[in-house]
PDB file of all heavy atoms in Angstrom:
ATOM      1  N   ALA A 375     -24.917   8.882 -18.421  1.00 91.00           N
ATOM      2  CA  ALA A 375     -23.749   9.135 -19.265  1.00 91.00           C
ATOM      3  C   ALA A 375     -23.984   8.611 -20.675  1.00 91.00           C
ATOM      4  O   ALA A 375     -24.656   7.589 -20.879  1.00 91.00           O
ATOM      5  CB  ALA A 375     -22.518   8.453 -18.657  1.00 91.00           C
ATOM      6  N   ASP A 376     -23.445   9.350 -21.642  1.00 91.00           N
ATOM      7  CA  ASP A 376     -23.609   8.912 -23.037  1.00 91.00           C
ATOM      8  C   ASP A 376     -22.611   7.815 -23.369  1.00 91.00           C
ATOM      9  O   ASP A 376     -22.946   6.873 -24.076  1.00 91.00           O
ATOM     10  CB  ASP A 376     -23.411  10.105 -23.978  1.00 91.00           C
ATOM     11  CG  ASP A 376     -24.465  11.166 -23.730  1.00 91.00           C
ATOM     12  OD1 ASP A 376     -25.650  10.874 -24.016  1.00 91.00           O
ATOM     13  OD2 ASP A 376     -24.131  12.239 -23.207  1.00 91.00           O
ATOM     14  N   VAL A 377     -21.389   7.946 -22.878  1.00 93.00           N
ATOM     15  CA  VAL A 377     -20.395   6.932 -23.155  1.00 93.00           C
ATOM     16  C   VAL A 377     -19.622   6.601 -21.888  1.00 93.00           C
ATOM     17  O   VAL A 377     -19.227   7.496 -21.145  1.00 93.00           O
ATOM     18  CB  VAL A 377     -19.380   7.409 -24.237  1.00 93.00           C
ATOM     19  CG1 VAL A 377     -18.375   6.307 -24.545  1.00 93.00           C
ATOM     20  CG2 VAL A 377     -20.071   7.852 -25.504  1.00 93.00           C
ATOM     21  N   ALA A 378     -19.452   5.314 -21.640  1.00 93.00           N
ATOM     22  CA  ALA A 378     -18.492   4.869 -20.613  1.00 93.00           C
ATOM     23  C   ALA A 378     -17.288   4.337 -21.370  1.00 93.00           C
ATOM     24  O   ALA A 378     -17.413   3.432 -22.189  1.00 93.00           O
ATOM     25  CB  ALA A 378     -19.099   3.802 -19.736  1.00 93.00           C
ATOM     26  N   LEU A 379     -16.128   4.923 -21.141  1.00 93.00           N
ATOM     27  CA  LEU A 379     -14.908   4.526 -21.843  1.00 93.00           C
ATOM     28  C   LEU A 379     -14.066   3.688 -20.871  1.00 93.00           C
ATOM     29  O   LEU A 379     -13.471   4.196 -19.941  1.00 93.00           O
ATOM     30  CB  LEU A 379     -14.134   5.767 -22.282  1.00 93.00           C
ATOM     31  CG  LEU A 379     -12.853   5.557 -23.092  1.00 93.00           C
ATOM     32  CD1 LEU A 379     -13.131   4.837 -24.412  1.00 93.00           C
ATOM     33  CD2 LEU A 379     -12.181   6.900 -23.359  1.00 93.00           C
ATOM     34  N   VAL A 380     -14.073   2.375 -21.108  1.00 92.00           N
ATOM     35  CA  VAL A 380     -13.371   1.457 -20.204  1.00 92.00           C
ATOM     36  C   VAL A 380     -11.989   1.164 -20.774  1.00 92.00           C
ATOM     37  O   VAL A 380     -11.862   0.674 -21.881  1.00 92.00           O
ATOM     38  CB  VAL A 380     -14.160   0.132 -20.054  1.00 92.00           C
ATOM     39  CG1 VAL A 380     -13.427  -0.855 -19.174  1.00 92.00           C
ATOM     40  CG2 VAL A 380     -15.570   0.393 -19.526  1.00 92.00           C
ATOM     41  N   ILE A 381     -10.956   1.533 -20.030  1.00 91.00           N
ATOM     42  CA  ILE A 381      -9.603   1.376 -20.536  1.00 91.00           C
ATOM     43  C   ILE A 381      -8.814   0.437 -19.647  1.00 91.00           C
ATOM     44  O   ILE A 381      -8.409   0.779 -18.530  1.00 91.00           O
ATOM     45  CB  ILE A 381      -8.885   2.751 -20.597  1.00 91.00           C
ATOM     46  CG1 ILE A 381      -9.716   3.709 -21.464  1.00 91.00           C
ATOM     47  CG2 ILE A 381      -7.490   2.598 -21.174  1.00 91.00           C
ATOM     48  CD1 ILE A 381      -9.205   5.103 -21.466  1.00 91.00           C
ATOM     49  N   GLY A 382      -8.586  -0.778 -20.122  1.00 84.00           N
ATOM     50  CA  GLY A 382      -7.763  -1.701 -19.375  1.00 84.00           C
ATOM     51  C   GLY A 382      -8.359  -2.178 -18.059  1.00 84.00           C
ATOM     52  O   GLY A 382      -7.654  -2.691 -17.212  1.00 84.00           O
ATOM     53  N   ALA A 383      -9.672  -1.949 -17.899  1.00 86.00           N
ATOM     54  CA  ALA A 383     -10.335  -2.475 -16.681  1.00 86.00           C
ATOM     55  C   ALA A 383     -11.165  -3.675 -17.124  1.00 86.00           C
ATOM     56  O   ALA A 383     -11.612  -3.752 -18.242  1.00 86.00           O
ATOM     57  CB  ALA A 383     -11.211  -1.418 -16.051  1.00 86.00           C
ATOM     58  N   ASN A 384     -11.347  -4.632 -16.223  1.00 83.00           N
ATOM     59  CA  ASN A 384     -12.119  -5.807 -16.598  1.00 83.00           C
ATOM     60  C   ASN A 384     -13.036  -6.266 -15.468  1.00 83.00           C
ATOM     61  O   ASN A 384     -14.234  -5.967 -15.497  1.00 83.00           O
ATOM     62  CB  ASN A 384     -11.147  -6.924 -17.016  1.00 83.00           C
ATOM     63  CG  ASN A 384     -11.853  -8.041 -17.745  1.00 83.00           C
ATOM     64  OD1 ASN A 384     -13.058  -8.218 -17.618  1.00 83.00           O
ATOM     65  ND2 ASN A 384     -11.119  -8.810 -18.526  1.00 83.00           N
ATOM     66  N   ASP A 385     -12.477  -6.903 -14.489  1.00 81.00           N
ATOM     67  CA  ASP A 385     -13.332  -7.464 -13.423  1.00 81.00           C
ATOM     68  C   ASP A 385     -14.140  -6.406 -12.680  1.00 81.00           C
ATOM     69  O   ASP A 385     -15.255  -6.678 -12.249  1.00 81.00           O
ATOM     70  CB  ASP A 385     -12.466  -8.239 -12.418  1.00 81.00           C
ATOM     71  CG  ASP A 385     -11.817  -9.444 -13.057  1.00 81.00           C
ATOM     72  OD1 ASP A 385     -12.399  -9.967 -13.994  1.00 81.00           O
ATOM     73  OD2 ASP A 385     -10.716  -9.846 -12.606  1.00 81.00           O
ATOM     74  N   VAL A 386     -13.600  -5.181 -12.578  1.00 85.00           N
ATOM     75  CA  VAL A 386     -14.278  -4.150 -11.787  1.00 85.00           C
ATOM     76  C   VAL A 386     -15.475  -3.575 -12.509  1.00 85.00           C
ATOM     77  O   VAL A 386     -16.221  -2.791 -11.951  1.00 85.00           O
ATOM     78  CB  VAL A 386     -13.303  -2.996 -11.398  1.00 85.00           C
ATOM     79  CG1 VAL A 386     -12.195  -3.552 -10.530  1.00 85.00           C
ATOM     80  CG2 VAL A 386     -12.773  -2.299 -12.611  1.00 85.00           C
ATOM     81  N   VAL A 387     -15.694  -3.948 -13.781  1.00 89.00           N
ATOM     82  CA  VAL A 387     -16.902  -3.498 -14.490  1.00 89.00           C
ATOM     83  C   VAL A 387     -17.736  -4.691 -14.958  1.00 89.00           C
ATOM     84  O   VAL A 387     -18.607  -4.542 -15.787  1.00 89.00           O
ATOM     85  CB  VAL A 387     -16.550  -2.621 -15.730  1.00 89.00           C
ATOM     86  CG1 VAL A 387     -16.021  -1.273 -15.276  1.00 89.00           C
ATOM     87  CG2 VAL A 387     -15.552  -3.319 -16.634  1.00 89.00           C
TER      88      VAL A 387
END
Side-chain angles (χ1 to χ4, degrees):
Chain A
D376 297 293
V377 182
L379 183 61
V380 178
I381 304 174
N384 194 338
D385 295 331
V386 298
V387 289

